[in-house]
Amino acid sequence: KPMNISAELAAVVGEGPMPRSEVVKKLWVYIKANNLQDSKDKRLINTDEKLKQVFGGEKTVHMMKMAGHISKHVS
């Protein structure tokens, strides 16, 4: 079901509301378009300024931890 998105997340994936699956899909499009996957370990995401806002200021985030961070930005 479509969910409301925080301003920080909307800066990365676009304006909501949208289903969580769409949020994740658009997040990966952003990550790949900006070449933010770690070159040695593709499971790690190197954050830029926009993603730091979504991922609690962390410099790198493991892809399995993304869902927890996204949860804080959708309602």
Side-chain angles (χ1 to χ4, degrees):
K1 84 180 191 340
M3 303 178 87
N4 293 321
I5 298 171
S6 71
E8 295 88 357
L9 186 56
V12 178
V13 300
E15 292 298 315
M18 67 179 79
R20 189 183 183 93
S21 59
E22 189 71 19
V23 170
V24 173
K25 203 180 297 179
K26 288 186 177 197
L27 201 51
W28 275 108
V29 167
Y30 179 86
I31 289 166
K32 290 180 187 229
N34 290 285
N35 201 24
L36 298 174
Q37 272 184 292
D38 189 79
S39 56
K40 293 180 179 69
D41 186 351
K42 296 286 188 190
R43 296 172 299 177
L44 296 177
I45 310 303
N46 298 315
T47 60
D48 61 5
E49 286 308 309
K50 286 183 179 180
L51 283 183
K52 274 187 186 157
Q53 302 293 314
V54 177
F55 294 146
E58 294 184 37
K59 191 175 175 190
T60 56
V61 176
H62 193 280
M63 63 192 277
M64 294 299 178
K65 304 270 186 209
M66 282 176 36
H69 289 290
I70 292 169
S71 294
K72 298 171 187 163
H73 292 275
V74 295
S75 59

